[in-house]
Amino acid sequence: MLARARSVALIGVDAVPVEVEVDVSPGLPAFTVVGLPDQAVSEARERVRAAVRNAGLPFPAARITVNLAPADLRKEGPLYDLPIALGLLAAQDLLPAAALAGTLVAGELALDGSLRPISGAVNLALLAAQLGLPALLPLGNAPEAALIEGVPVFGAGTLAEAARHLGGSHPLPVTPAPEAQGPEDTLLDLADLKGQSGARRALEIAVAGGHNLLMVGSPGSGKTMLARRAPGLLPPLTRAEALEVTRIHSAAGLLASRGRLNLGAPFRAPHHTVSDAGLIGGGCNFL
Protein backbone atom coordinates (compact mmCIF):
# COMPACT_ATOMS: atom_id res chain seq x y z
CA MET A 1 0.00 0.00 0.00
CA LEU A 2 1.14 3.55 -0.71
CA ALA A 3 1.12 6.40 1.81
CA ARG A 4 2.24 10.02 1.49
CA ALA A 5 3.64 12.45 4.04
CA ARG A 6 4.57 16.10 3.59
CA SER A 7 7.93 17.46 4.65
CA VAL A 8 10.44 20.11 3.57
CA ALA A 9 13.94 20.61 2.23
CA LEU A 10 16.12 23.62 3.00
CA ILE A 11 17.71 25.50 0.12
CA GLY A 12 19.82 28.06 1.91
CA VAL A 13 17.32 29.60 4.32
CA ASP A 14 14.25 28.85 2.20
CA ALA A 15 12.07 25.80 2.87
CA VAL A 16 10.56 24.05 -0.15
CA PRO A 17 7.91 21.29 -0.06
CA VAL A 18 8.98 17.65 -0.27
CA GLU A 19 6.56 14.74 -0.61
CA VAL A 20 7.62 11.54 1.16
CA GLU A 21 6.06 8.53 -0.58
CA VAL A 22 6.22 5.21 1.24
CA ASP A 23 5.24 1.99 -0.53
CA VAL A 24 4.95 -1.35 1.26
CA SER A 25 4.55 -4.29 -1.13
CA PRO A 26 4.97 -8.08 -0.97
CA GLY A 27 8.41 -9.45 -1.68
CA LEU A 28 11.74 -10.12 -0.06
CA PRO A 29 12.32 -7.77 2.91
CA ALA A 30 14.17 -4.67 1.73
CA PHE A 31 14.25 -0.97 2.63
CA THR A 32 15.21 1.44 -0.17
CA VAL A 33 15.33 5.25 -0.09
CA VAL A 34 15.43 7.07 -3.44
CA GLY A 35 15.08 10.70 -4.52
CA LEU A 36 18.66 12.00 -4.34
CA PRO A 37 19.25 11.45 -0.58
CA ASP A 38 22.55 12.25 1.12
CA GLN A 39 24.24 9.87 3.56
CA ALA A 40 22.25 11.09 6.57
CA VAL A 41 18.96 10.50 4.73
CA SER A 42 20.05 7.06 3.50
CA GLU A 43 20.92 6.05 7.07
CA ALA A 44 17.34 6.86 8.09
CA ARG A 45 16.52 3.25 7.20
CA GLU A 46 18.32 1.95 10.28
CA ARG A 47 17.03 4.67 12.60
CA VAL A 48 13.44 4.20 11.45
CA ARG A 49 13.60 0.41 11.72
CA ALA A 50 14.92 0.50 15.28
CA ALA A 51 12.68 3.38 16.39
CA VAL A 52 9.48 1.75 15.11
CA ARG A 53 10.26 -1.55 16.81
CA ASN A 54 11.39 0.02 20.10
CA ALA A 55 8.24 2.16 20.15
CA GLY A 56 6.19 -1.05 20.20
CA LEU A 57 4.84 -0.55 16.68
CA PRO A 58 4.84 -3.16 13.91
CA PHE A 59 7.56 -3.08 11.27
CA PRO A 60 6.56 -5.00 8.12
CA ALA A 61 8.64 -7.85 6.75
CA ALA A 62 8.08 -6.66 3.18
CA ARG A 63 9.63 -4.63 0.40
CA ILE A 64 9.66 -0.97 1.45
CA THR A 65 10.39 1.81 -1.04
CA VAL A 66 10.63 5.44 0.04
CA ASN A 67 10.68 8.17 -2.61
CA LEU A 68 11.49 11.79 -1.76
CA ALA A 69 9.92 13.98 -4.43
CA PRO A 70 10.93 16.01 -6.36
CA ALA A 71 13.60 13.49 -7.25
CA ASP A 72 16.03 16.06 -8.73
CA LEU A 73 16.31 18.06 -5.47
CA ARG A 74 19.04 16.93 -3.10
CA LYS A 75 17.74 15.94 0.34
CA GLU A 76 20.00 16.47 3.33
CA GLY A 77 19.87 15.84 7.07
CA PRO A 78 17.91 13.61 9.46
CA LEU A 79 14.63 15.59 9.34
CA TYR A 80 12.99 12.92 7.14
CA ASP A 81 13.12 10.22 9.86
CA LEU A 82 9.71 11.12 11.30
CA PRO A 83 7.77 11.47 8.01
CA ILE A 84 9.25 8.17 6.77
CA ALA A 85 8.26 6.36 9.97
CA LEU A 86 4.75 7.83 9.98
CA GLY A 87 4.35 7.05 6.28
CA LEU A 88 5.37 3.47 7.01
CA LEU A 89 2.65 3.22 9.66
CA ALA A 90 0.07 4.79 7.33
CA ALA A 91 1.01 2.32 4.60
CA GLN A 92 0.05 -0.45 7.03
CA ASP A 93 -3.35 1.19 7.70
CA LEU A 94 -2.28 2.07 11.26
CA LEU A 95 -2.75 5.79 10.64
CA PRO A 96 -5.34 7.71 8.61
CA ALA A 97 -3.69 8.76 5.35
CA ALA A 98 -5.66 12.02 5.21
CA ALA A 99 -4.35 13.21 8.60
CA LEU A 100 -0.76 12.51 7.58
CA ALA A 101 -1.10 14.14 4.16
CA GLY A 102 -2.59 17.29 5.74
CA THR A 103 0.32 17.95 8.13
CA LEU A 104 3.84 19.22 7.55
CA VAL A 105 6.14 16.80 9.37
CA ALA A 106 9.86 16.75 10.19
CA GLY A 107 12.02 15.29 12.94
CA GLU A 108 15.03 13.13 13.77
CA LEU A 109 14.45 9.77 15.44
CA ALA A 110 16.58 8.23 18.15
CA LEU A 111 16.80 4.44 18.24
CA ASP A 112 14.45 4.29 21.25
CA GLY A 113 11.72 6.15 19.35
CA SER A 114 12.25 9.56 20.94
CA LEU A 115 12.46 12.68 18.77
CA ARG A 116 15.47 14.96 18.59
CA PRO A 117 15.38 18.64 17.50
CA ILE A 118 16.33 19.55 13.95
CA SER A 119 17.64 22.67 12.25
CA GLY A 120 15.30 24.97 10.32
CA ALA A 121 12.07 24.71 12.36
CA VAL A 122 11.34 28.42 11.86
CA ASN A 123 11.79 28.01 8.10
CA LEU A 124 9.46 24.99 8.12
CA ALA A 125 6.81 26.97 10.01
CA LEU A 126 7.04 29.80 7.47
CA LEU A 127 6.33 27.30 4.69
CA ALA A 128 3.47 25.80 6.70
CA ALA A 129 1.95 29.28 7.00
CA GLN A 130 2.15 29.72 3.23
CA LEU A 131 0.51 26.32 2.61
CA GLY A 132 -2.08 26.70 5.37
CA LEU A 133 -1.00 23.48 7.11
CA PRO A 134 -0.30 22.56 10.74
CA ALA A 135 3.23 21.46 11.66
CA LEU A 136 4.24 18.35 13.63
CA LEU A 137 7.75 18.67 15.02
CA PRO A 138 9.96 17.37 17.84
CA LEU A 139 9.06 18.84 21.21
CA GLY A 140 12.36 20.75 21.33
CA ASN A 141 11.52 22.60 18.10
CA ALA A 142 7.93 23.53 18.92
CA PRO A 143 8.66 26.84 20.75
CA GLU A 144 10.74 28.27 17.91
CA ALA A 145 8.22 27.18 15.24
CA ALA A 146 5.44 28.80 17.30
CA LEU A 147 7.12 32.16 16.68
CA ILE A 148 5.38 32.17 13.29
CA GLU A 149 1.86 33.50 13.67
CA GLY A 150 -1.12 31.58 12.34
CA VAL A 151 0.52 28.13 12.28
CA PRO A 152 -0.78 25.40 14.63
CA VAL A 153 2.40 23.74 15.91
CA PHE A 154 2.31 20.35 17.65
CA GLY A 155 5.36 19.13 19.54
CA ALA A 156 5.83 15.38 20.01
CA GLY A 157 8.38 13.83 22.32
CA THR A 158 8.30 10.36 20.78
CA LEU A 159 7.24 8.55 17.62
CA ALA A 160 4.38 6.92 19.55
CA GLU A 161 3.04 10.34 20.61
CA ALA A 162 3.14 11.57 17.01
CA ALA A 163 1.31 8.43 15.84
CA ARG A 164 -1.38 8.75 18.51
CA HIS A 165 -1.84 12.42 17.62
CA LEU A 166 -2.39 11.70 13.93
CA GLY A 167 -4.54 8.71 14.79
CA GLY A 168 -6.82 10.94 16.87
CA SER A 169 -6.64 8.89 20.07
CA HIS A 170 -4.45 11.36 22.02
CA PRO A 171 -4.25 14.73 20.21
CA LEU A 172 -1.32 16.92 21.18
CA PRO A 173 -1.95 20.46 22.44
CA VAL A 174 -1.13 23.38 20.19
CA THR A 175 2.13 24.99 21.28
CA PRO A 176 1.31 28.51 22.49
CA ALA A 177 3.03 31.47 20.90
CA PRO A 178 5.84 32.79 23.10
CA GLU A 179 5.27 36.00 25.00
CA ALA A 180 6.57 39.21 23.48
CA GLN A 181 9.96 40.18 24.80
CA GLY A 182 11.78 43.45 25.11
CA PRO A 183 15.15 44.35 23.63
CA GLU A 184 18.13 42.39 24.88
CA ASP A 185 20.25 44.06 27.55
CA THR A 186 23.47 42.25 26.73
CA LEU A 187 24.71 44.63 24.01
CA LEU A 188 28.00 46.39 24.64
CA ASP A 189 27.99 50.17 25.05
CA LEU A 190 30.38 52.88 23.85
CA ALA A 191 30.35 54.22 27.42
CA ASP A 192 32.83 51.46 28.26
CA LEU A 193 35.40 53.04 25.92
CA LYS A 194 37.81 55.77 27.03
CA GLY A 195 39.14 58.21 24.47
CA GLN A 196 39.17 57.45 20.72
CA SER A 197 36.87 60.41 20.00
CA GLY A 198 37.63 60.39 16.27
CA ALA A 199 37.05 56.66 15.91
CA ARG A 200 33.85 56.89 17.95
CA ARG A 201 32.54 59.67 15.71
CA ALA A 202 33.38 57.69 12.56
CA LEU A 203 31.63 54.62 13.98
CA GLU A 204 28.48 56.58 14.86
CA ILE A 205 28.30 58.13 11.37
CA ALA A 206 28.87 54.78 9.63
CA VAL A 207 26.23 52.99 11.70
CA ALA A 208 23.66 55.80 11.40
CA GLY A 209 24.07 55.95 7.62
CA GLY A 210 24.45 52.23 6.98
CA HIS A 211 27.94 52.70 5.58
CA ASN A 212 30.96 50.42 5.56
CA LEU A 213 33.83 51.19 7.92
CA LEU A 214 37.44 50.05 7.55
CA MET A 215 39.50 50.18 10.75
CA VAL A 216 43.27 50.20 10.42
CA GLY A 217 45.66 50.33 13.33
CA SER A 218 48.22 48.50 15.39
CA PRO A 219 47.17 45.53 17.55
CA GLY A 220 45.58 46.66 20.80
CA SER A 221 44.54 50.08 19.55
CA GLY A 222 40.82 49.29 20.07
CA LYS A 223 39.52 48.29 16.63
CA THR A 224 37.70 45.17 17.80
CA MET A 225 36.43 46.89 20.93
CA LEU A 226 34.85 49.59 18.78
CA ALA A 227 33.38 47.12 16.28
CA ARG A 228 31.77 45.01 19.00
CA ARG A 229 29.89 48.05 20.25
CA ALA A 230 28.42 48.92 16.86
CA PRO A 231 25.23 46.82 17.39
CA GLY A 232 24.57 48.76 20.60
CA LEU A 233 24.15 51.93 18.53
CA LEU A 234 21.43 50.39 16.38
CA PRO A 235 17.71 50.44 17.22
CA PRO A 236 15.98 47.11 18.01
CA LEU A 237 15.12 45.08 14.94
CA THR A 238 11.57 45.22 13.63
CA ARG A 239 9.62 41.96 13.73
CA ALA A 240 10.25 41.34 10.02
CA GLU A 241 13.98 41.93 10.48
CA ALA A 242 14.05 39.78 13.62
CA LEU A 243 12.32 36.93 11.78
CA GLU A 244 14.87 37.17 8.96
CA VAL A 245 17.77 36.95 11.41
CA THR A 246 16.10 34.18 13.41
CA ARG A 247 15.40 31.99 10.39
CA ILE A 248 19.02 32.27 9.28
CA HIS A 249 20.17 31.11 12.70
CA SER A 250 17.51 28.38 12.74
CA ALA A 251 18.58 27.00 9.36
CA ALA A 252 22.19 26.91 10.55
CA GLY A 253 21.29 25.31 13.89
CA LEU A 254 22.72 28.30 15.78
CA LEU A 255 19.68 29.52 17.73
CA ALA A 256 20.91 30.51 21.19
CA SER A 257 17.43 30.40 22.72
CA ARG A 258 14.52 28.49 21.20
CA GLY A 259 11.23 30.35 21.40
CA ARG A 260 12.81 33.83 21.25
CA LEU A 261 13.32 36.17 18.34
CA ASN A 262 16.78 37.64 17.84
CA LEU A 263 15.96 41.31 18.44
CA GLY A 264 19.55 42.55 18.48
CA ALA A 265 21.53 43.23 15.33
CA PRO A 266 23.93 40.31 14.76
CA PHE A 267 27.68 40.84 15.07
CA ARG A 268 30.35 38.56 13.60
CA ALA A 269 34.08 38.83 14.20
CA PRO A 270 36.01 36.80 11.59
CA HIS A 271 39.72 36.37 12.17
CA HIS A 272 41.95 38.83 10.33
CA THR A 273 43.57 35.96 8.41
CA VAL A 274 40.25 34.73 6.96
CA SER A 275 40.22 34.10 3.21
CA ASP A 276 37.75 35.76 0.83
CA ALA A 277 35.94 32.44 0.34
CA GLY A 278 35.73 31.84 4.07
CA LEU A 279 34.38 35.34 4.69
CA ILE A 280 31.56 35.34 2.13
CA GLY A 281 30.75 31.63 1.81
CA GLY A 282 31.58 28.10 2.85
CA GLY A 283 28.82 26.38 4.83
CA CYS A 284 27.76 27.65 8.24
CA ASN A 285 30.98 29.65 8.75
CA PHE A 286 29.62 32.58 6.73
CA LEU A 287 27.07 33.29 9.44
Side-chain angles (χ1 to χ4, degrees):
M1 182 176 175
L2 178 65
R4 292 181 173 88
R6 306 186 74 167
S7 191
V8 303
L10 288 179
I11 301 179
V13 296
D14 296 320
V16 297
V18 168
E19 188 171 59
V20 181
E21 300 173 325
V22 182
D23 179 72
V24 177
S25 57
L28 291 175
F31 198 155
T32 306
V33 179
V34 298
L36 210 57
D38 72 347
Q39 186 65 27
V41 180
S42 297
E43 291 173 352
R45 298 171 299 181
E46 309 306 324
R47 292 191 296 270
V48 169
R49 180 184 287 110
V52 169
R53 288 175 174 167
N54 290 328
L57 300 167
F59 190 89
R63 183 175 184 82
I64 303 169
T65 304
V66 176
N67 179 45
L68 306 175
D72 60 345
L73 176 67
R74 185 161 183 80
K75 320 303 186 306
E76 300 177 345
L79 72 162
Y80 302 104
D81 292 2
L82 183 57
I84 290 174
L86 294 175
L88 189 59
L89 297 177
Q92 301 177 78
D93 283 332
L94 299 176
L95 289 179
L100 181 58
T103 305
L104 212 57
V105 183
E108 177 184 352
L109 282 171
L111 298 186
D112 62 355
S114 60
L115 287 170
R116 292 177 173 144
I118 59 170
S119 300
V122 171
N123 313 65
L124 182 146
L126 286 168
L127 178 63
Q130 296 175 13
L131 299 177
L133 297 174
L136 178 59
L137 296 167
L139 194 59
N141 287 121
E144 62 176 294
L147 290 169
I148 308 304
E149 298 175 348
V151 180
V153 177
F154 302 98
T158 64
L159 172 61
E161 287 182 7
R164 289 195 294 266
H165 167 73
L166 291 175
S169 58
H170 291 83
L172 295 168
V174 176
T175 303
E179 297 180 0
Q181 75 246 32
E184 299 179 5
D185 299 326
T186 57
L187 296 177
L188 300 175
D189 198 311
L190 276 180
D192 304 329
L193 190 63
K194 301 296 183 182
Q196 298 282 19
S197 58
R200 291 164 62 114
R201 178 63 174 161
L203 180 65
E204 292 167 356
I205 293 173
V207 170
H211 307 300
N212 297 316
L213 182 65
L214 175 63
M215 299 184 185
V216 180
S218 59
S221 60
K223 302 185 297 297
T224 301
M225 182 178 290
L226 275 166
R228 285 178 175 167
R229 281 152 179 78
L233 300 174
L234 296 170
L237 300 179
T238 64
R239 178 172 176 81
E241 293 170 339
L243 276 176
E244 189 71 18
V245 173
T246 302
R247 77 186 190 118
I248 293 173
H249 284 75
S250 178
L254 298 175
L255 274 183
S257 176
R258 300 186 187 275
R260 288 179 61 89
L261 288 173
N262 291 337
L263 293 180
F267 172 77
R268 294 293 176 266
H271 195 264
H272 67 276
T273 61
V274 67
S275 65
D276 293 343
L279 181 65
I280 63 175
C284 296
N285 295 328
F286 77 97
L287 299 171

